[in-house]
Amino acid sequence: MAHPSVPKGLIVSVQAPEGSPMREPEVIAAMAEASLLNGAVGVRLESPEHIGAVRRRCPKALIIGLWKRSFPDSSVYITPGWDEIRQVWSAGADVIAIDATERPRPGGQQLAELVRRVQMELNAPLMADVDSLANGLRAAALGCQWVGTTLFGYTEATAQLEPPAWQLLAPMREQLPADVGLICEGGIANAAEASRALVEGADAVVVGTAITGVDLQVARYVEKIQSQLTP
């Protein structure tokens, strides 16, 4: 299968937490369209429902799809298994994002077997969400076409580290095959940091909370303001 070329520029992660009014598919689709109309080269979406809603509203959009599901026997939650992979693809994603760390997967599923099955049965491009250089290189060797720094700082092995994953970008770009896309994702707080990610070697940068995270952003503002108002 030919490696899909990674678009250069900004990919907006359009997601909302459970229980938020922003999780309505129509709201997600509107935010995705607004992002694309203002120059985003793609969107990253969570759940088959949201992927489908954006695909209907924005038929030509580049969609990186994932599905966050939690299981009691594993800390892997980003598209952890075959069922989630298949449903994300069926919903209309162009690229499927999966956890590609070393952590055990639900039900004993194996990353190598999942990648092989995707290649054989779906012929779908994969974005490997990783937390380290070693896991990024392993994912590329297994056949993932894109590698993202998404889980740096969010796994047990990297919990002491703070995203963005600046220290991963240069060595990843140097050691990954030239046709594997490198995406910086996680902790990008402003436009200057997004630009820096590209300068340091990323093909594209994913920004979520800083752009579309209404719930978290409002809560942060309120917390800061309340600290000034409290006597």
Side-chain angles (χ1 to χ4, degrees):
M1 173 180 170
H3 290 278
S5 58
V6 178
K8 309 287 185 178
L10 174 67
I11 296 168
V12 177
S13 181
V14 187
Q15 300 183 37
E18 290 285 351
S20 168
M22 304 297 289
R23 271 191 75 86
E24 289 292 328
E26 295 79 8
V27 176
I28 294 289
M31 287 197 292
E33 185 179 21
S35 300
L36 295 163
L37 287 173
N38 284 284
V41 297
V43 289
R44 182 170 156 120
L45 308 171
E46 192 276 319
S47 83
E49 185 180 26
H50 290 169
I51 294 163
V54 174
R55 178 56 71 213
R56 288 187 293 274
R57 183 163 183 153
C58 309
K60 296 183 179 178
L62 171 68
I63 295 175
I64 301 170
L66 62 132
W67 195 4
K68 293 179 180 176
R69 297 191 71 198
S70 297
F71 295 88
D73 62 338
S74 172
S75 56
V76 170
Y77 62 90
I78 295 177
T79 327
W82 176 250
D83 184 52
E84 292 78 29
I85 288 170
R86 186 177 51 79
Q87 293 198 52
V88 164
W89 186 245
S90 297
D94 297 292
V95 178
I96 305 166
I98 61 172
D99 181 308
T101 64
E102 293 176 302
R103 298 179 294 179
R105 306 183 87 84
Q109 297 179 83
Q110 299 295 318
L111 178 63
E113 172 59 23
L114 287 170
V115 173
R116 188 199 65 78
R117 193 170 179 185
V118 168
Q119 293 168 335
M120 296 293 292
E121 298 186 30
L122 303 181
N123 201 32
L126 291 171
M127 174 176 170
D129 290 347
V130 303
D131 58 345
S132 68
L133 174 61
N135 285 336
L137 298 178
R138 180 179 71 125
L142 288 175
C144 295
Q145 291 87 353
W146 299 7
V147 172
T149 61
T150 317
L151 290 168
F152 177 89
Y154 296 100
T155 61
E156 297 84 346
T158 63
Q160 77 283 6
L161 302 172
E162 190 77 23
W166 301 124
Q167 60 263 53
L168 292 188
L169 294 178
M172 276 230 197
R173 184 65 282 165
E174 183 180 327
Q175 297 180 52
L176 283 171
D179 60 351
V180 171
L182 175 58
I183 300 177
C184 180
E185 178 173 8
I188 299 294
N190 52 56
E193 288 186 351
S195 178
R196 176 183 170 185
L198 299 186
V199 170
E200 298 209 8
D203 295 297
V205 57
V206 175
V207 182
T209 301
I211 295 175
T212 58
V214 174
D215 304 87
L216 288 169
Q217 291 287 26
V218 172
R220 286 175 181 173
Y221 275 83
V222 170
E223 182 182 9
K224 286 289 186 184
I225 290 170
Q226 290 294 348
S227 69
Q228 298 301 318
L229 297 177
T230 303

